[in-house]
Amino acid sequence: MDKFSVLGIITLVIVFIALLLAVFLFTVKTKNKISNRLMGVYFIIFAVHISVFFYAKYIELPLVIDMLRDQIMFLSSPLLFLYVLSSVYSDFKLQPKHLLHLIPFVIEILIYVPNFYAVSEEERRIFTDNFHSNPEVKFSTLYGSIVSIVYLVLIFQTLKKYKLLLLESYSDSNKFNYKWLYQLTLLLSFIFIFSTSKQIYKYVGNDIEVLNMLRILLTLLLLGFLSWIVLKSMYYPELFRSIDTKHLLVRNLIETSSIKQDPADKFVEQIEKLQNYMETEEPYLDSSLTIHKLANQMNLPFRDMSILINHHIGKHFFDFINEYRIKKAITLLENPLNKKLTILEILYDVGFNSKSPFNTAFKKHTGYTPSQYRKNIS
């Protein structure tokens, strides 16, 4: 079996999985319809673009159709960016302004109009036969890399803001999809780097065997990527949860709030009141506690509570709440009457939902894991 046959078989599997995922995303019943459909379209484009490694050996498409199949990938980065936005913000809606993300694709088409789309079929054939030597193709490769990099930067910036908003407003960030989106972007970044390296070799290298091997490795990477997504959807069917676009970072709240003009004594008084409430009422035992809930319980505006904790106390809400949870856990561990309580029972009792974040927070505050701490005091 030659390398092209291997490449074709791997590609066929990739196309099948991608289209299957697209069908699933379009038909599954969920609240995240927009994000699912955006990702579904992304997988369809992905399947159409890569299908050349399978059908090229058996079918010769019209040159214009084959060129559009290749250029359609310029829609993938904008789609991924919109998918991330729709996954992060629960009130995200597609609007006319989002049509601006078609610009990279339109520019790519325009690059090829003079010497490909606007010429005769015979001239297109000559263009295709000398494809990689054409200046349009070289420019397009560079342009495509720039577009991908710009959108990856935009996605990472969005995720950075998302993470900060979670830390400032929620006590249990594991219910949200930040980790999934971050892992997805990292994997796609790695695939982009590998794909770019292959493209560079296509222009500077002269060994077709090496190029075919790089193509096989790339398709295997893509197959692994899709398999990872399938496993994620199987293990975490309720993975996705988002926040409202009205959420603002504390620095933005301070800029738009009059609270910064209040006397310092007011903040000292509010901090003491908050600390007393945390000690006596123990609201942190609620695993779903948010800064909105805490503000409502204390009859304080959300903005004031957010600025008070995240700015004046100087801790993210996430860390502020977890400190109280860890103190409570330490109290339970040190009580001889609680020797029969398991670590799992204790973490649930103090407001955590799973072992991993509990162990991380406990070690951050004490330098030991819960098991090590219990062993040291026994």
Side-chain angles (χ1 to χ4, degrees):
M1 185 180 291
D2 60 29
K3 288 184 176 63
F4 194 88
S5 298
V6 173
L7 191 62
I9 292 171
I10 298 172
T11 301
L12 182 60
V13 175
I14 291 174
V15 170
F16 175 77
I17 295 175
L19 293 178
L20 192 64
L21 279 169
V23 171
F24 169 75
L25 289 167
F26 275 108
T27 58
V28 67
K29 293 182 179 179
T30 177
K31 294 179 181 179
N32 305 316
K33 288 184 179 179
I34 294 178
S35 58
N36 279 5
R37 287 170 182 172
L38 286 169
M39 185 54 91
V41 175
Y42 176 87
F43 283 131
I44 291 172
I45 288 174
F46 180 83
V48 169
H49 176 73
I50 200 172
S51 62
V52 65
F53 292 125
F54 171 72
Y55 75 73
K57 193 174 182 179
Y58 312 102
I59 304 171
E60 185 176 347
L61 293 178
L63 294 178
V64 170
I65 300 298
D66 198 46
M67 181 65 78
L68 287 172
R69 173 209 55 77
D70 188 54
Q71 295 176 324
I72 200 173
M73 273 307 283
F74 277 81
L75 294 173
S76 62
S77 292
L79 274 170
L80 185 65
F81 175 61
L82 292 175
Y83 166 74
V84 170
L85 286 180
S86 64
S87 297
V88 167
Y89 299 111
S90 59
D91 54 345
F92 175 87
K93 292 181 180 178
L94 287 172
Q95 300 175 22
K97 66 178 182 180
H98 292 128
L99 291 173
L100 292 173
H101 292 288
L102 291 173
I103 291 176
F105 175 68
V106 173
I107 291 175
E108 169 67 3
I109 296 293
L110 292 175
I111 291 170
Y112 285 83
V113 166
N115 294 320
F116 184 81
Y117 288 110
V119 298
S120 67
E121 188 68 15
E122 184 179 346
E123 288 174 298
R124 286 177 193 149
R125 179 69 62 185
I126 295 171
F127 184 94
T128 304
D129 290 342
N130 301 282
F131 192 73
H132 295 295
S133 62
N134 292 303
E136 293 95 337
V137 178
K138 294 176 181 179
F139 177 80
S140 176
T141 301
L142 176 62
Y143 170 62
S145 298
I146 292 171
V147 168
S148 296
I149 291 170
V150 168
Y151 274 101
L152 283 172
V153 170
L154 289 174
I155 290 169
F156 277 116
Q157 287 179 339
T158 301
L159 293 179
K160 183 180 178 182
K161 180 181 178 182
Y162 184 35
K163 183 180 181 181
L164 192 52
L165 283 169
L166 292 178
L167 290 174
E168 290 181 354
S169 302
Y170 297 89
S171 64
D172 183 13
S173 60
N174 287 302
K175 290 182 179 179
F176 293 84
N177 55 358
Y178 169 79
K179 187 179 290 186
W180 147 255
L181 293 173
Y182 186 74
Q183 290 172 346
L184 176 70
T185 308
L186 276 183
L187 282 173
L188 286 172
S189 299
F190 178 75
I191 291 172
F192 164 73
I193 292 170
F194 190 91
S195 177
T196 302
S197 301
K198 178 186 76 67
Q199 287 294 104
I200 292 172
Y201 184 83
K202 189 185 292 183
Y203 291 105
V204 301
N206 54 13
D207 191 333
I208 191 65
E209 289 294 316
V210 173
L211 182 59
N212 284 334
M213 185 58 68
L214 289 174
R215 285 169 174 164
I216 290 174
L217 289 174
L218 179 60
T219 52
L220 287 173
L221 271 176
L222 294 173
L223 180 59
F225 169 68
L226 290 177
S227 300
W228 174 75
I229 292 177
V230 171
L231 289 173
K232 277 284 187 180
S233 63
M234 290 171 62
Y235 285 122
Y236 305 102
E238 301 297 330
L239 180 68
F240 307 109
R241 187 177 170 193
S242 44
I243 60 177
D244 197 290
T245 53
K246 296 183 180 64
H247 274 68
L248 294 176
L249 294 171
V250 168
R251 62 174 178 265
N252 302 123
L253 289 175
I254 293 173
E255 290 173 1
T256 59
S257 176
S258 61
I259 194 171
K260 60 184 178 181
Q261 301 171 351
D262 291 340
D265 290 346
K266 178 183 176 181
F267 299 126
V268 174
E269 181 182 336
Q270 287 182 336
I271 290 171
E272 290 178 352
K273 183 180 178 182
L274 173 61
Q275 290 172 337
N276 182 60
Y277 183 81
M278 296 297 293
E279 295 287 349
T280 56
E281 301 299 324
E282 299 183 332
Y284 54 85
L285 298 182
D286 175 8
S287 62
S288 62
L289 183 68
T290 67
I291 201 164
H292 287 86
K293 281 187 180 181
L294 185 60
N296 289 335
Q297 290 172 13
M298 294 191 64
N299 295 317
L300 273 177
F302 158 72
R303 285 178 172 232
D304 291 12
M305 180 63 77
S306 185
I307 293 172
L308 189 66
I309 295 174
N310 292 293
H311 180 67
H312 290 290
I313 294 180
K315 296 175 184 175
H316 291 313
F317 178 73
F318 178 83
D319 294 322
F320 176 75
I321 295 301
N322 279 348
E323 278 190 14
Y324 282 95
R325 289 172 174 170
I326 297 304
K327 287 178 184 177
K328 182 72 173 181
I330 290 171
T331 302
L332 293 176
L333 285 169
E334 290 179 346
N335 190 338
L337 299 177
N338 295 325
K339 283 186 177 181
K340 291 185 179 181
L341 279 179
T342 66
I343 299 296
L344 197 61
E345 289 173 322
I346 288 174
L347 74 89
Y348 286 133
D349 285 345
V350 300
F352 284 92
N353 272 323
S354 58
K355 197 169 184 178
S356 178
F358 175 62
N359 285 344
T360 301
F362 197 95
K363 192 165 186 177
K364 179 180 178 180
H365 288 90
T366 66
Y368 300 97
T369 65
S371 299
Q372 290 171 337
Y373 190 88
R374 170 172 267 178
K375 187 176 180 181
N376 288 339
I377 62 176
S378 61

